[in-house]
């Protein structure tokens, strides 16, 4: 079974040299630590390409934050732009991939990650735009919820963020691709058997 | 024509009306028109609708107008940082229209460009598409979203000249240009007003045609989430 960092490292393998990429909040943020020598430019949808690491203490700049509202830094390649331009490049398919967390993913690629009915709804932010617009959507999440119930489903039960948008799912148990008719197992996590992966998955595996 | 005003309060005189739609720039607490929001609070204008990505926090940004019950409706993509907002929303005192962030930005930009509607694939197959026209283009489904035509725009920039040409700084640009564009009247608050001719014309982010009033002031520029790394 993979831990958070191993999942992030596996997700980093998805990224190709030269790509412009958007990373979501949570485990996806950790992916930046594992890109190695690849030339990857990170987009922050509040208006920046070339997102750098957190600043040293004392160097925080209130005018320089990421989409999670955290203070960050710029790089020598950094470019700034407004929100309409930012989502223009997202909607226009210029961002090669988005790596996002999820509450549920379905075998047809449906994704739910923004609201739970009856609970406090904070909003979708840029998630709906990202999944509709970027070249490739990779979900990184735990395979099951805290009650042990599968989050990889035949059909999402929560309100959707996007319909048929997910390409690949990376969980603590392995990697699955959304294909015709269901999900295909790409690999199992270290120490996880295919049977264990299947048992934890509600979705159809083809 | 003179665009420079002495204070946010002075810049707001004659433009505020109960029930108006205001487009505000900013992302989180970054690049928000904090002085103009305070000015609107002082003016006491009521039943306002704000098109703004976020709703501030309880005691800063649009949050201060929620405290005084001056806001009737928010058009936003994410409002998670504001307890008073949630209280008013859950009790039915405050209306909320969620827009995907890019749709909100484009609605503002489109309004400013005289485009009343546009098709986007963002939100297709979700609650956002409910009740909206849809159309197929090249075998893909898109939904119709409407441009925002605001009564007033309030934005924050870094520098302005006296003609209203604006330059923003780093990620504080965010929603400010599209918000500025979509208002009948736009007021910009800036950190510095510089003499005409001292901004490089090739480096203007928003031309002064969009900006009707300018005010210079001291900004708190609060940081919402301070994150740092260890010095090696």
């Amino acid at each position: 079974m993979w831990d958070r960092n191993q999942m992030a490292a596996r997700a980093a393998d998805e990224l190709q040299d030269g790509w412009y990429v958007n990373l979501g909040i949570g485990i996806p943020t950790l992916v930046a630590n594992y890109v190695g020598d690849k030339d990857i430019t990170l987009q922050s949808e509040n208006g920046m390409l070339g997102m750098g690491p957190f600043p040293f203490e004392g160097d925080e700049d209130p005018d320089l934050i990421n989409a999670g509202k955290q203070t960050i830094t710029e790089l020598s390649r950094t470019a700034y732009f407004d929100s309409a331009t930012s989502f223009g490049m997202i909607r226009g398919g210029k961002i090669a991939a988005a790596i996002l967390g999820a509450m549920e993913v379905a075998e047809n690629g449906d994704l739910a990650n923004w609201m739970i009915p009856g609970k406090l709804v904070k909003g979708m932010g840029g998630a709906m735009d990202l999944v509709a617009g970027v070249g490739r959507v990779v979900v990184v999440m735990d395979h099951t919820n805290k009650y042990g119930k599968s989050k990889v489903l035949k059909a999402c039960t929560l309100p959707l963020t996007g319909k048929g948008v997910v390409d690949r799912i990376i969980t603590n148990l392995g990697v699955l691709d959304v294909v015709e008719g269901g999900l295909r197992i790409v690999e199992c996590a270290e120490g996880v058997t295919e049977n264990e992966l299947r048992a934890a998955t509600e979705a159809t595996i083809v | 024509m003179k665009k420079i005003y002495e204070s946010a309060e002075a810049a707001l005189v004659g433009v505020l009306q109960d029930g108006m739609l205001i487009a505000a720039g900013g992302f989180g607490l970054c690049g928000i028109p904090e002085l103009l929001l305070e000015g609107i609070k002082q003016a006491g204008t009521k039943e306002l609708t704000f098109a703004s990505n976020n709703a501030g926090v309880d005691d800063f940004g649009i949050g201060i107008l929620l405290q005084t019950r001056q806001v009737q409706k928010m058009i936003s993509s994410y409002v998670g940082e504001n307890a008073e907002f949630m209280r008013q929303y859950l009790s039915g005192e405050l209306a909320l229209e969620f827009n995907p962030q890019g749709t909100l930005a484009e609605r503002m930009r489109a309004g400013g460009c005289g485009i009343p509607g546009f098709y986007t694939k963002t939100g297709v197959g979700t609650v956002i598409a409910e009740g909206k026209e849809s159309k197929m283009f090249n075998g893909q489904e898109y939904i119709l979203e409407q441009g925002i035509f605001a009564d007033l725009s309030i934005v924050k920039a870094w520098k302005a000249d006296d003609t209203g040409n604006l330059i923003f700084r780093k990620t504080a640009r965010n929603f400010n240009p599209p918000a500025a564009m979509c208002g009948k009247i736009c007021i910009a608050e800036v950190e510095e007003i510089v003499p005409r001719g001292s901004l490089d014309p090739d480096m203007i982010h928003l031309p002064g045609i969009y900006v009707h009033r300018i005010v210079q002031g001291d900004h708190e520029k609060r940081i919402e989430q301070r994150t740092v790394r260890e010095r090696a």
Side-chain angles (χ1 to χ4, degrees):
Chain A
M1 206 156 78
W2 287 326
D3 63 20
R4 286 163 60 88
N5 285 301
Q6 287 168 314
M7 287 159 71
R10 179 60 190 80
D13 290 344
E14 299 295 312
L15 306 179
Q16 293 177 24
D17 194 56
W19 274 13
Y20 292 84
V21 175
N22 186 292
L23 302 179
I25 293 165
I27 301 174
T29 305
L30 301 174
V31 173
N33 300 334
Y34 299 97
V35 296
D37 291 338
K38 283 182 283 194
D39 184 33
I40 301 292
T41 304
L42 298 179
Q43 195 227 25
S44 190
E45 66 265 27
N46 53 321
M48 178 184 201
L49 279 167
M51 180 168 46
F54 293 150
F56 293 122
E57 197 168 351
D59 291 345
E60 308 93 310
D61 184 338
D63 289 338
L64 183 45
I65 63 169
N66 63 17
K69 286 142 195 166
Q70 298 169 311
T71 46
I72 48 161
T73 54
E74 65 186 20
L75 304 170
S76 54
R77 70 173 59 189
T78 296
Y80 298 111
F81 34 84
D82 67 74
S83 299
T85 306
S86 181
F87 283 92
M89 66 183 73
I90 289 169
R91 210 185 296 104
K94 315 299 177 188
I95 304 292
I99 300 179
L100 305 163
M103 298 167 183
E104 294 177 346
V105 181
E107 62 191 42
N108 60 358
D110 286 1
L111 168 70
N113 73 352
W114 79 282
M115 81 175 279
I116 300 174
K119 288 209 174 171
L120 216 55
V121 182
K122 294 181 169 187
M124 72 287 288
M128 285 189 180
D129 310 272
L130 279 160
V131 300
V134 303
R136 190 168 166 77
V137 174
V138 177
V139 164
V140 181
M141 64 175 191
D142 282 330
H143 208 95
T144 55
N145 66 18
K146 59 182 170 184
Y147 308 108
K149 215 172 152 283
S150 186
K151 294 167 69 175
V152 185
L153 306 173
K154 289 190 189 307
C156 289
T157 64
L158 298 170
L160 297 184
T161 307
K163 197 159 180 52
V165 293
V166 176
D167 295 290
R168 179 164 277 194
I169 308 160
I170 297 172
T171 75
N172 50 332
L173 302 185
V175 181
L176 299 129
D177 272 351
V178 178
V179 296
E180 197 65 37
L183 303 179
R184 189 176 59 82
I185 296 175
V186 177
E187 65 184 89
C188 296
E190 240 175 79
V192 176
T193 66
E194 193 177 314
N195 280 341
E196 287 169 332
L197 181 58
R198 282 172 181 271
T201 306
E202 189 211 272
T204 311
I205 293 178
V206 295
Chain B
M1 201 185 109
K2 195 178 164 320
K3 292 188 178 180
I4 298 172
Y5 287 73
E6 268 178 28
S7 65
E9 288 72 17
L12 287 162
V13 169
V15 300
L16 292 175
Q17 242 184 340
D18 289 352
M20 77 192 312
L21 168 60
I22 302 177
F27 181 92
L29 302 181
C30 180
I32 59 171
E34 53 182 271
L35 307 175
L36 290 161
L37 289 169
E38 182 62 36
I40 293 170
K41 179 183 166 182
Q42 298 305 330
T45 321
K46 296 186 298 289
E47 291 160 15
L48 297 170
T49 295
F50 270 94
S52 169
N53 189 55
N54 311 93
V57 293
D58 283 337
D59 63 341
F60 198 57
I62 289 175
I64 62 171
L65 300 177
L66 293 167
Q67 301 273 9
T68 51
R69 311 290 173 85
Q70 287 171 263
V71 184
Q72 184 176 59
K73 182 180 174 183
M74 292 294 308
I75 304 170
S76 304
S77 88
Y78 193 84
V79 294
E81 325 294 348
N82 191 318
E84 177 62 15
F85 180 100
M86 282 302 173
R87 196 200 61 71
Q88 290 185 24
Y89 173 58
L90 293 173
S91 69
E93 295 164 57
L94 180 68
L96 170 61
E97 178 187 325
F98 274 130
N99 280 193
Q101 196 173 133
T103 295
L104 179 59
E106 189 63 15
R107 289 186 67 194
M108 290 181 181
R109 197 197 70 84
C113 296
I115 297 172
F118 60 92
Y119 286 95
T120 177
K121 57 186 168 182
T122 300
V124 168
T126 75
V127 292
I128 291 303
E130 284 171 14
K132 287 176 185 156
E133 259 179 60
S134 78
K135 191 168 174 165
M136 301 295 286
F137 293 91
N138 299 318
Q140 273 212 339
E141 189 182 354
Y142 294 77
I143 54 173
L144 181 64
E145 294 282 3
Q146 296 189 17
I148 289 175
F149 299 88
D151 299 306
L152 171 67
S153 298
I154 55 171
V155 299
K156 152 80 172 50
W158 183 36
K159 290 182 181 180
D161 65 17
D162 68 305
T163 73
N165 289 324
L166 299 185
I167 291 182
F168 302 90
R169 188 171 171 275
K170 302 185 189 287
T171 56
R173 192 181 322 183
N174 57 58
F175 273 84
N176 283 296
M181 290 165 70
C182 75
K184 283 194 201 93
I185 296 175
C186 171
I187 311 175
E189 58 177 67
V190 301
E191 293 177 45
E192 191 182 357
I193 298 175
V194 300
R196 195 181 296 199
S198 60
L199 297 177
D200 181 346
D202 270 332
M203 298 295 158
I204 303 295
H205 295 144
L206 190 75
I209 190 169
Y210 295 108
V211 180
H212 306 94
R213 299 183 179 193
I214 315 155
V215 60
Q216 179 179 329
D218 292 326
H219 290 83
E220 177 184 339
K221 299 214 289 185
R222 194 183 293 186
I223 291 176
E224 196 161 347
Q225 214 179 321
R226 192 178 296 273
T227 43
V228 295
R229 71 188 138 132
E230 294 283 309
R231 260 177 220 280

